[in-house]
């Protein structure tokens, strides 16, 4: 079985400050890890993924995430947040032998001007 | 940039009626998925479809649900005899392989 935990329902930061959204996962084998963002009344937009290789992956809109196998974490980061980054962020995992994505509950990010 | 499209954006139906939700995948994608998100809850996997057959399905995807790709382009989800608890946002997703999936904007299904 695979699962994802996003321990924070909400993250609030000031514009220009670093943003971190936490994610931990559980899979039986090696994980494929993903971050998606959802804006109001929109679908899920792919941000970035970890498949293999370098533990630090870079994605869209200046976001990056670090895969930490020992801590089973894949935290999303952005060095300097923008008001336009305010949205709902989902972490997702799939086992390499599986088709389905398992999502976390989501973290609402609010960036204040 | 190519996008996954879904129709309708909002469907209201009465309990017991059948609904068909439609998705147009990105053109070179071969893997297709349906997920749903009940208001305030997690996004849940329903079914995956590859090479004209279901490759995996969840416990939610019971005999009430079916999927098909009738004309080689559209990918549909049919819900027979809808129930109140089927009210949710239904997302289609497509991909080129077992990696990232690209999601459509969703269809909001309201069962009354």
């Amino acid at each position: 079985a695979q699962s994802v935990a996003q321990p924070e329902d909400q993250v609030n930061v000031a514009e220009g400050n670093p943003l971190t959204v936490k994610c931990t996962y559980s899979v039986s084998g090696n994980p494929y890890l993903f971050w998606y963002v959802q804006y109001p009344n929109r679908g899920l937009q792919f941000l970035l993924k970890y498949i293999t290789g370098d533990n630090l992956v870079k994605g869209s809109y200046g976001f990056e995430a670090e895969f930490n196998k020992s801590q089973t974490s894949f935290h999303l980061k952005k060095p300097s947040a923008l008001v336009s980054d305010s949205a709902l962020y989902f972490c997702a995992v799939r086992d390499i032998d599986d088709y389905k994505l398992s999502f976390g509950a989501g973290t609402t990010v609010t960036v204040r001007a | 940039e190519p996008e996954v499209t879904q129709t309708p954006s909002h469907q209201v139906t009465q309990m017991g009626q059948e609904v068909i939700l439609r998705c147009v995948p990105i053109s070179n994608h071969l893997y297709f998925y349906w997920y749903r998100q009940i208001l305030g809850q997690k996004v849940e996997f329903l079914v995956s479809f590859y090479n004209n057959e279901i490759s995996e399905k969840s416990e939610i995807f019971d005999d009430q649900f079916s999927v098909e790709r009738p004309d080689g382009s559209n990918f549909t989800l049919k819900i027979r005899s809808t129930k109140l608890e089927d009210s949710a946002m239904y997302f289609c997703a497509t991909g080129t392989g077992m990696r990232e999936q690209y999601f459509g904007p969703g269809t909001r299904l309201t069962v009354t």
Side-chain angles (χ1 to χ4, degrees):
Chain A
Q2 55 197 44
S3 65
V4 173
Q6 292 181 243
E8 301 158 316
D9 291 335
Q10 291 200 358
V11 169
N12 299 307
V13 298
E15 189 172 36
N17 282 1
L19 169 63
T20 299
V21 186
K22 295 179 181 177
C23 171
T24 58
Y25 67 89
S26 174
V27 293
S28 55
N30 291 321
Y32 286 173
L33 293 155
F34 307 86
W35 276 100
Y36 287 84
V37 60
Q38 185 179 33
Y39 296 98
N41 301 314
R42 303 287 298 275
L44 300 166
Q45 289 181 237
F46 169 73
L47 276 180
L48 51 77
K49 68 178 184 283
Y50 172 82
I51 303 297
T52 187
D54 196 347
N55 289 343
L56 183 65
V57 294
K58 294 185 184 296
S60 307
Y61 313 120
F63 284 94
E64 58 188 31
E66 185 165 13
F67 170 62
N68 187 317
K69 188 172 183 178
S70 63
Q71 296 186 3
T72 61
S73 67
F74 189 58
H75 301 330
L76 181 69
K77 299 181 181 182
K78 186 170 184 179
S80 178
L82 301 172
V83 172
S84 57
D85 293 328
S86 299
L88 181 57
Y89 290 80
F90 290 97
C91 182
V93 67
R94 75 194 299 183
D95 193 295
I96 59 171
D97 295 324
D98 209 344
Y99 292 95
K100 66 180 180 290
L101 288 174
S102 295
F103 285 86
T107 299
T108 299
V109 170
T110 302
V111 182
R112 61 186 184 278
Chain B
E1 184 175 327
E3 292 182 336
V4 177
T5 59
Q6 290 185 243
T7 54
S9 57
H10 191 192
Q11 174 88 50
V12 182
T13 190
Q14 289 191 328
M15 195 167 51
Q17 296 297 302
E18 175 181 287
V19 295
I20 298 176
L21 310 183
R22 292 182 169 79
C23 169
V24 178
I26 295 172
S27 62
N28 63 336
H29 287 186
L30 300 176
Y31 294 79
F32 312 111
Y33 311 83
W34 283 101
Y35 293 81
R36 77 173 185 190
Q37 185 180 29
I38 295 172
L39 189 63
Q41 298 186 22
K42 285 186 182 185
V43 177
E44 303 172 289
F45 169 78
L46 292 178
V47 65
S48 59
F49 190 85
Y50 171 70
N51 202 25
N52 286 319
E53 61 182 22
I54 291 173
S55 42
E56 188 175 358
K57 61 182 180 179
S58 71
E59 293 177 351
I60 303 167
F61 194 88
D62 59 21
D63 292 344
Q64 178 194 9
F65 294 89
S66 63
V67 290
E68 64 176 358
R69 201 161 176 231
D71 55 10
S73 59
N74 290 297
F75 177 53
T76 63
L77 174 69
K78 182 188 291 184
I79 310 175
R80 287 181 283 275
S81 189
T82 48
K83 298 178 268 192
L84 294 176
E85 55 264 38
D86 294 328
S87 295
M89 182 74 91
Y90 288 81
F91 292 108
C92 173
T94 74
T96 56
M98 295 184 69
R99 297 197 172 191
E100 68 266 30
Q101 298 170 18
Y102 292 89
F103 285 74
T107 294
R108 182 172 299 283
L109 176 64
T110 303
V111 182
T112 62

